[in-house]
């Protein structure tokens, strides 16, 4: 009997990229048709299946390298780990960096080893009240309740599944898990009653410092990105905890909840006498507070490397209840507000320096030109222009060419229109 032909996969899309990519740094979005790749120039490019480029992220410096990438379980963000130990979180809606997680990698290194690099990223979610979710999804029902009566028909809720809790924008009203009155009072957010924060304008362009690298304020440069940061829907779900696991090449695993609150880390015991341990894969389930890491281990007494499944149980998630969400969400709000204020101050300082430095630079340039030509100083020439109405050719060229081209209309209007 001849064996049947193996099933073949259907080709969904094909695209020729403009430059080579790293084969191990390719990731598919779990909720949207987006594919993220890292090019040989260490830049992030995200493409749709039709080949159109959705967004991207440039490398920080010329020496920066990407160590790992990972999509969030709901596709809202993508995390990029750099070789300096920092992790940039990029929004899939705006394509801009909304947060940066900087872990102290040196704190997980022993005295006799160098600073470890990030080898893996993983994103998971854990429910605080698992019984409420199981009851809502129908996976678990109280004992003694088998059939609904006619009195319960009007109170029957719409059926939901576990995927409804993990959507990119979950419908909290449809999920129908409402806390009791004390918890509802604790979850009242004053920020909803306040006006929305406006966007931060881009710093003024300085023609004398075109090559200067300004600090990034992309996260607050549009109203859409600001709303995604301060009014995110996932921060309102008080029954789910987002966990970002950062694994290093020395076996250390550092969990961060809600992308803002670091809660320490874990390392393989030194008694195992391993020369190398690298996290490879991660697995978790929303119903469990445990995260499993598949770690490759090497030892001098072993002929070949071995793999071990190491559990990391976050018992504080179900024990702390809704208060964990309150602490983490308020911490994230304060960090975002602090970052917003810092961006505002940087923009104000840039405008202030531009208002002070730009006129002085123009005056310094014309003063040097007049001194080289032996035509006196700027004050004498402007006084001569105001008294006699005669404009020297050098001053006229300066007013018409330099000031007019750089949109200095206020300064130009002081001296009048010269034709």
């Amino acid at each position: 009997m001849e064996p049947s032909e193996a099933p073949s996969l259907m080709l969904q899309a094909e695209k020729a990229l403009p430059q080579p990519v790293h084969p191990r740094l390719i990731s598919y979005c779990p909720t949207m048709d987006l594919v993220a790749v890292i090019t040989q120039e260490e830049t992030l490019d995200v493409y749709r299946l039709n080949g159109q480029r959705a967004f991207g992220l440039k490398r920080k410096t010329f020496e920066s390298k990407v160590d790992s990438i990972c999509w969030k379980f709901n596709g809202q963000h993508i995390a990029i780990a750099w070789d300096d130990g920092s992790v940039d979180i990029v929004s899939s809606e705006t394509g801009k960096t909304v947060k940066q997680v900087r872990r102290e990698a040196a704190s997980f290194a022993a005295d006799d080893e160098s600073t470890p690099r990030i080898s893996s990223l993983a994103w998971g979610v854990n429910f605080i009240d698992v019984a409420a979710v199981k009851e809502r999804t129908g996976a678990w029902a109280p004992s003694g309740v088998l059939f609904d009566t006619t009195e319960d028909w009007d109170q029957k809720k719409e059926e939901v599944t576990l995927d409804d809790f993990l959507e990119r924008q979950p419908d909290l009203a449809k999920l129908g898990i409402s806390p009791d009155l004390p918890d509802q009072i604790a979850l009242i957010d004053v920020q909803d009653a306040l006006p929305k924060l406006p966007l931060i304008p881009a710093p003024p362009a300085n023609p004398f410092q075109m090559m200067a690298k300004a600090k990034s304020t992309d996260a607050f440069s549009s109203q859409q990105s600001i709303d995604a940061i301060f009014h995110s829907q996932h921060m309102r779900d008080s029954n789910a905890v987002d966990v970002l696991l950062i694994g290093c090449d020395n076996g250390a695993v550092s969990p961060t909840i809600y992308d803002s609150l670091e809660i320490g880390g874990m390392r393989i015991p030194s008694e195992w006498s391993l020369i190398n341990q690298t996290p490879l894969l991660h697995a978790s389930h929303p119903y469990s507070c445990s995260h499993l890491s598949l770690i490759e281990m090497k030892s001098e007494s072993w002929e070949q490397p071995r793999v071990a499944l190491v559990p990391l149980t976050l018992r504080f998630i179900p024990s702390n209840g809704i208060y964990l969400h309150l602490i983490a969400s308020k911490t994230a709000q304060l960090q975002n507000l602090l970052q917003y204020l810092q961006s505002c101050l940087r923009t104000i300082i840039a405008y202030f320096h531009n208002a002070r430095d730009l006129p002085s630079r123009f005056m310094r340039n014309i003063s040097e030109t007049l001194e080289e030509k032996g035509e006196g100083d700027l004050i004498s020439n402007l006084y001569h222009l105001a008294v006699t109405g005669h404009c020297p050719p050098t001053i006229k060229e300066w007013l018409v060419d330099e000031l007019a081209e750089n949109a200095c209309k206020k300064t130009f209007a002081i001296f009048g229109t010269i034709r």
Side-chain angles (χ1 to χ4, degrees):
M1 181 177 179
E2 296 181 357
S4 59
E5 295 182 359
S8 59
L9 299 177
M10 182 182 299
L11 180 63
Q12 295 290 338
E14 184 178 2
K15 178 178 176 58
L17 299 178
Q19 52 184 325
V21 300
H22 294 288
R24 67 178 186 86
L25 296 177
I26 300 177
S27 182
Y28 186 80
C29 181
T31 58
M32 296 180 290
D33 293 334
L34 297 176
V35 179
V37 297
I38 301 297
T39 64
Q40 295 289 348
E41 296 182 356
E42 305 299 331
T43 59
L44 170 71
D45 288 331
V46 179
Y47 295 94
R48 298 182 176 91
L49 291 186
N50 59 4
Q52 181 184 8
R53 185 177 182 271
F55 61 91
L57 181 67
K58 296 182 179 180
R59 66 195 308 180
K60 294 183 176 182
T61 61
F62 184 75
E63 296 82 9
S64 298
K65 294 183 179 180
V66 179
D67 288 338
S68 180
I69 59 174
C70 178
W71 284 96
K72 198 171 185 177
F73 57 89
N74 54 13
Q76 281 188 340
H77 303 97
I78 181 172
I80 302 96
W82 300 91
D83 57 352
D84 60 352
S86 62
V87 179
D88 287 344
I89 299 178
V90 181
S91 173
S92 60
E93 298 179 357
T94 62
K96 298 179 180 179
T97 303
V98 296
K99 193 171 296 184
Q100 184 181 83
V101 179
R102 177 170 291 276
R103 57 179 301 280
E104 296 296 334
S107 61
F108 293 96
D111 297 335
D112 56 346
E113 65 180 6
S114 59
T115 302
R117 294 178 60 174
I118 298 176
S119 60
S120 65
L121 290 174
W123 234 319
V125 60
N126 299 110
F127 292 136
I128 297 176
D129 190 357
V130 178
V133 178
K134 289 184 177 180
E135 182 180 3
R136 186 67 184 90
T137 57
W140 174 83
S143 59
V145 180
L146 299 178
F147 302 98
D148 293 335
T149 62
T150 55
E151 287 80 5
D152 299 330
W153 286 357
D154 294 337
Q155 301 178 359
K156 189 174 182 179
K157 299 180 180 179
E158 183 180 357
E159 294 184 0
V160 297
T161 62
L162 182 60
D163 294 335
D164 294 330
F165 287 88
L166 304 179
E167 287 183 353
R168 189 164 57 94
Q169 294 291 342
D171 187 358
L172 301 182
K174 176 184 177 182
L175 299 181
I177 298 182
S178 300
D180 53 12
L181 181 58
D183 292 341
Q184 286 183 349
I185 296 176
L187 289 174
I188 293 177
D189 193 358
V190 183
Q191 190 175 1
D192 295 338
L194 300 176
K196 291 186 177 181
L197 295 175
L199 58 89
I200 300 178
N206 193 336
F208 297 98
Q209 295 179 349
M210 294 300 293
M211 300 303 295
K213 184 178 180 181
K215 294 187 177 180
S216 176
T217 57
D218 289 343
F220 308 106
S221 60
S222 65
Q223 194 64 43
Q224 183 181 5
S225 60
I226 291 179
D227 294 341
I229 295 175
F230 291 99
H231 305 281
S232 179
Q233 188 74 6
H234 83 281
M235 293 301 296
R236 302 175 184 271
D237 188 2
S238 59
N239 195 41
V241 178
D242 301 339
V243 181
L244 175 63
L245 291 178
I246 303 175
C248 298
D249 55 4
N250 65 343
V253 178
S254 173
T256 303
I257 61 176
Y258 292 111
D259 312 334
S260 59
L261 190 59
E262 298 185 9
I263 53 176
M266 173 203 71
R267 282 201 64 176
I268 294 179
S270 58
E271 290 78 8
W272 291 14
S273 301
L274 301 177
I275 59 176
N276 186 20
Q277 53 270 0
T278 304
L280 301 176
L281 296 175
H282 163 269
S284 65
H285 195 275
Y287 289 163
S288 174
C289 60
S290 297
H291 294 258
L292 300 178
S293 297
L294 186 66
I295 300 180
E296 180 185 16
M297 302 181 300
K298 296 180 181 179
S299 177
E300 296 179 352
S301 59
W302 300 341
E303 296 181 357
Q304 295 181 353
R306 300 180 182 180
V307 292
L309 198 61
V310 180
L312 175 61
T313 303
L314 307 178
R315 299 184 183 276
F316 62 88
I317 292 180
S319 61
N320 291 333
I322 195 175
Y323 301 105
L324 176 63
H325 171 80
L326 286 175
I327 295 173
S329 61
K330 297 305 177 184
T331 302
Q333 285 184 357
L334 291 177
Q335 290 180 351
N336 293 332
L337 286 174
L338 179 60
Q339 186 178 0
Y340 182 85
L341 292 176
Q342 291 175 347
S343 299
C344 288
L345 290 177
R346 286 196 296 264
T347 304
I348 292 174
I349 293 174
Y351 274 99
F352 177 76
H353 285 301
N354 181 75
R356 290 189 56 186
D357 296 344
L358 190 58
S360 61
R361 289 178 182 273
F362 280 117
M363 296 176 65
R364 191 181 305 117
N365 288 344
I366 186 60
S367 298
E368 294 176 356
T369 303
L370 292 173
E371 185 178 357
E372 292 176 358
K373 294 183 178 181
E375 299 180 3
D377 56 359
L378 178 61
I379 297 178
S380 301
N381 282 269
L382 293 179
Y383 183 79
H384 174 76
L385 173 61
V387 173
T388 64
H390 174 262
C391 182
T394 305
I395 297 296
K396 180 179 180 180
E397 181 182 359
W398 173 65
L399 292 175
V400 174
D401 295 339
E402 293 190 20
L403 294 187
E405 288 181 0
N406 290 278
C408 297
K409 297 181 180 179
K410 293 183 179 180
T411 307
F412 187 81
I414 296 176
F415 306 108
T417 304
I418 301 176
R419 300 184 182 275

